[in-house]
Amino acid sequence: MPEITGPARVRFAPSPTGHVHLGSARTALYDYLLAKQTGGQFILRIEDTDRKRYVEGAEEELMTSLRWLGIEWDEGPDIGGPYGPYRQSERKDIYLKYAQQLVESGHAYYCFCTPHKLEQVHQEQQQRKESYHYDGTCRALDPKEAAARAASGEPHVIRFKTPKTGTTIVKDQLRGEIAIENSQIDDYVLVKSDGWALYHLAAMVDDHEMKITHVIRGSEWLPTFPLHSLIIRAFGWQEPTWVHLSVFLKPSGKGKMSKREATDLIKDGYSIFLKDLEGLGYLPEAVVNWVALMGWSYDGSTEFFTMPDLVEKFSLDRLNPSPAAINFTKLDHFNGLHIRNLDTNDLASRLVPFFEKEGFAVDFDKLVKIIPILQVRIATLDEAPQMAGFFFRNKVKPELEDLIAKGLTATESAAIAERCLRELRTLDDISPEKAEPHMREVVEAMGYSAGQVFGIMRVAITGQKVSPPLFESMEIIGKDTVFKRLEKAITQLRQAL
Ligand code: GLU
């Protein structure tokens, strides 16, 4: 692979047709990394000329999701830049001018075939078991006559005049050279009858005008890649470096994920859409780390990367063209790692909305105290309220059956709770350093198991059977509340008799 010598100008060019998914996130990330690493620019271009697929609000969601990931653009529709406009719907005349140029140079032609006529041709080709291609009727028209018909307002499209002989050789950075017989390349439509350019023309024009040096895009563009090279060559422009990324497969590794499968994932607490991942408690840092490694590796073993690491270490020649299966277990793993990498206040601030969503009024100072015990235990932020919500409750309501330790009666459990309370009252403070060794001795002396004794205490004090470590929790809850809750549990157990 040739060394990248100068600053790269790269563009992310999504169509606002729905939610931003992992595939888009990865393309945008690689674009961004290459731009930042080389001191170049990352450009956001919105490809919104297909009004039928246009989704209201998708552009806003896209920008929010990219910014959530930590990806900022240097030029784009909202901030402008020297090569704008950056929305294709605002560039209609630019494309028409270039289409005209191709017609004049003999690389494109007007086609007046009606949709009805094309449909007939299609059906005949189907009967002959041929794949669909334009039959070339208007390719043979006299250019002057065709121009006059177009000028007179006769409905027409503009098609690319693909050479019919010879071979086109194109080069993808990951796959090397790809050769295709020109006879296999159709005379694609560049401009539709409504005057709007299609991707094949619009994207090539924009990449040229915006001085793009590297085109990183999905491998769904490989079939029309030779056409794109031919269009660029017809203009006499220099081709960018082409990078077609690998395909994402569903977690089983068998095939691509259907829309339905993608939507259903949410039931298991996962999603391929960025807007969902945030609400599910994933950190953008983890998503970036996870997505970066779906098709790229550094040394094959290093796994933990922050954005600055990636900017430093990313390289096109470590990209892998093989399909990558989406592995959500890995996402959980990375999320855990990045949660543990956050500093206390940062993690606390990110947890606040998750507690509030569950109806807890958060005391931030208290939350900061809880962080050390939470940080090592949660894989996603949304696990925190269930695990630690009790810290923000004034009252806990243990279930009676949970207060009764396994293999014991309510009377025995009440007696244990009483003994525990008595012992704790003898201590100067209930810090884990003091309380835990003392209570372990008490357990020994009583002849019950630690599971039984601490189980009763845990349920009495936290209201739940599973909690962060008991003694650390007790210290945060505070002596007075701990004693009060034990007293209440004793009464509850006694009343059950
Ligand atoms: N608008 C195209 C898409 O969303 C862009 C492809 C490209 O990056 O060139 O697939």
Side-chain angles (χ1 to χ4, degrees):
M1 170 154 323
E3 285 276 307
I4 299 170
T5 44
R9 280 184 60 83
V10 264
R11 89 297 191 277
F12 175 51
S15 303
T17 55
H19 302 308
V20 193
H21 54 73
L22 298 179
S24 305
R26 183 183 61 175
T27 307
L29 176 65
Y30 291 169
D31 280 328
Y32 175 81
L33 295 176
L34 191 62
K36 294 296 125 185
Q37 182 177 74
T38 59
Q41 290 84 35
F42 171 61
I43 293 129
L44 176 63
R45 181 171 82 219
I46 303 293
E47 303 206 330
D48 58 348
T49 53
D50 188 346
R51 301 319 279 184
K52 277 195 241 95
R53 296 181 59 221
Y54 183 83
V55 172
E56 203 62 55
E59 185 180 315
E60 290 70 25
E61 184 188 314
L62 190 117
M63 293 191 185
T64 308
S65 289
L66 287 182
R67 289 194 166 117
W68 178 70
L69 283 180
I71 296 179
E72 285 286 342
W73 41 101
D74 303 296
E75 297 165 30
D78 56 337
I79 53 172
Y83 303 98
Y86 293 91
R87 230 179 249 115
Q88 287 192 330
S89 58
E90 294 161 26
R91 298 174 63 83
K92 189 175 183 183
D93 293 344
I94 301 175
Y95 307 132
L96 277 178
K97 182 188 87 184
Y98 281 103
Q100 207 61 47
Q101 193 178 316
L102 284 184
V103 172
E104 277 156 24
S105 65
H107 290 98
Y109 60 90
Y110 295 110
C111 170
F112 303 94
C113 294
T114 61
H116 179 67
K117 149 102 200 304
L118 293 173
E119 182 52 34
Q120 266 178 343
V121 171
H122 190 182
Q123 280 178 9
E124 285 162 20
Q125 287 171 342
Q126 259 180 339
Q127 275 160 15
R128 292 197 300 270
K129 301 214 178 335
E130 288 173 13
S131 57
Y132 177 68
H133 57 275
Y134 179 58
D135 67 357
T137 307
C138 294
R139 190 178 163 112
L141 291 178
D142 171 53
K144 276 212 189 91
E145 197 184 305
R149 281 170 70 180
S152 75
E154 187 175 340
H156 63 273
V157 300
I158 297 176
R159 289 185 183 272
F160 188 60
K161 198 170 194 175
T162 310
K164 285 296 160 218
T165 55
T167 308
T168 294
I169 297 172
V170 290
K171 188 164 171 238
D172 171 72
Q173 281 307 117
L174 311 188
R175 295 163 180 81
E177 287 189 348
I178 303 169
I180 180 158
E181 298 296 316
N182 289 336
S183 57
Q184 301 299 306
I185 310 174
D186 202 4
D187 282 2
Y188 281 88
V189 173
L190 300 180
V191 179
K192 294 184 291 173
S193 56
D194 59 7
W196 279 104
L198 286 170
Y199 173 84
H200 308 309
L201 178 69
M204 301 314 118
V205 165
D206 289 345
D207 289 344
H208 169 71
E209 288 227 319
M210 295 176 184
K211 299 198 165 34
I212 299 304
T213 58
H214 295 71
V215 168
I216 303 178
R217 60 183 185 177
S219 53
E220 68 271 22
W221 296 107
L222 276 172
T224 45
F225 173 26
L227 168 76
H228 300 149
S229 279
L230 283 173
I231 293 173
I232 292 175
R233 291 172 199 176
F235 279 114
W237 298 334
Q238 203 191 334
E239 283 188 61
T241 299
W242 299 97
V243 183
H244 293 89
L245 298 174
S246 61
V247 174
F248 281 164
L249 302 178
K250 51 184 151 187
S252 64
K254 295 195 186 99
K256 291 219 270 179
M257 195 172 281
S258 69
K259 261 200 172 140
R260 171 81 188 271
E261 286 168 322
T263 324
D264 278 0
L265 274 174
I266 201 96
K267 288 188 214 132
D268 299 323
Y270 294 120
S271 180
I272 61 163
F273 301 114
L274 296 189
K275 71 158 184 50
D276 294 336
L277 290 173
E278 180 174 9
L280 290 168
Y282 291 100
L283 301 182
E285 290 90 337
V287 176
V288 162
N289 194 157
W290 179 52
V291 158
L293 292 175
M294 282 197 235
W296 173 81
S297 70
Y298 176 54
D299 53 12
S301 58
T302 311
E303 279 207 323
F304 184 86
F305 295 95
T306 62
M307 191 71 103
D309 293 338
L310 290 168
V311 168
E312 191 193 314
K313 301 198 163 93
F314 178 73
S315 69
L316 289 177
D317 55 0
R318 302 279 312 176
L319 289 176
N320 186 343
S322 329
I326 300 170
N327 182 342
F328 288 108
T329 316
K330 268 249 122 95
L331 172 60
D332 285 331
H333 168 71
F334 284 126
N335 212 51
L337 294 182
H338 283 275
I339 284 177
R340 290 188 265 299
N341 194 47
L342 294 179
D343 73 42
T344 305
N345 274 303
D346 190 359
L347 177 55
S349 315
R350 297 196 207 201
L351 283 173
V352 170
F354 287 87
F355 280 101
E356 287 179 347
K357 202 166 72 189
E358 295 301 319
F360 295 106
V362 177
D363 167 347
F364 194 78
D365 293 338
K366 193 180 214 179
L367 181 55
V368 167
K369 282 194 205 141
I370 300 166
I371 294 300
I373 54 179
L374 265 185
Q375 192 157 22
V376 292
R377 283 179 178 76
I378 50 172
T380 52
L381 301 181
D382 70 339
E383 288 172 6
Q386 208 196 3
M387 198 175 280
F390 67 88
F391 283 112
F392 302 106
R393 283 198 184 102
N394 289 331
K395 287 198 175 110
V396 292
K397 292 198 181 80
E399 294 291 333
L400 177 66
E401 60 187 50
D402 295 339
L403 280 171
I404 302 172
K406 211 163 168 229
L408 302 181
T409 62
T411 317
E412 288 164 322
S413 302
I416 291 174
E418 271 168 357
R419 173 84 189 265
C420 290
L421 177 59
R422 220 170 35 243
E423 295 291 344
L424 288 171
R425 281 200 163 122
T426 65
L427 302 173
D428 301 338
D429 65 70
I430 59 162
S431 65
E433 299 73 34
K434 287 241 168 71
E436 185 162 359
H438 181 73
M439 292 311 289
R440 287 201 182 274
E441 277 170 27
V442 174
V443 168
E444 283 281 302
M446 282 195 288
Y448 295 111
S449 75
Q452 288 171 319
V453 178
F454 296 158
I456 296 170
M457 285 174 65
R458 183 187 307 280
V459 175
I461 295 164
T462 70
Q464 50 197 52
K465 288 200 284 188
V466 182
S467 80
L470 177 62
F471 293 99
E472 276 90 340
S473 303
M474 282 168 38
E475 188 180 34
I476 296 164
I477 292 168
K479 200 162 150 174
D480 294 346
T481 307
V482 165
F483 294 169
K484 244 188 254 148
R485 289 183 183 177
L486 278 169
E487 278 163 11
K488 243 189 87 200
I490 294 161
T491 313
Q492 197 177 343
L493 282 162
R494 292 265 177 242
Q495 278 167 357
L497 301 177

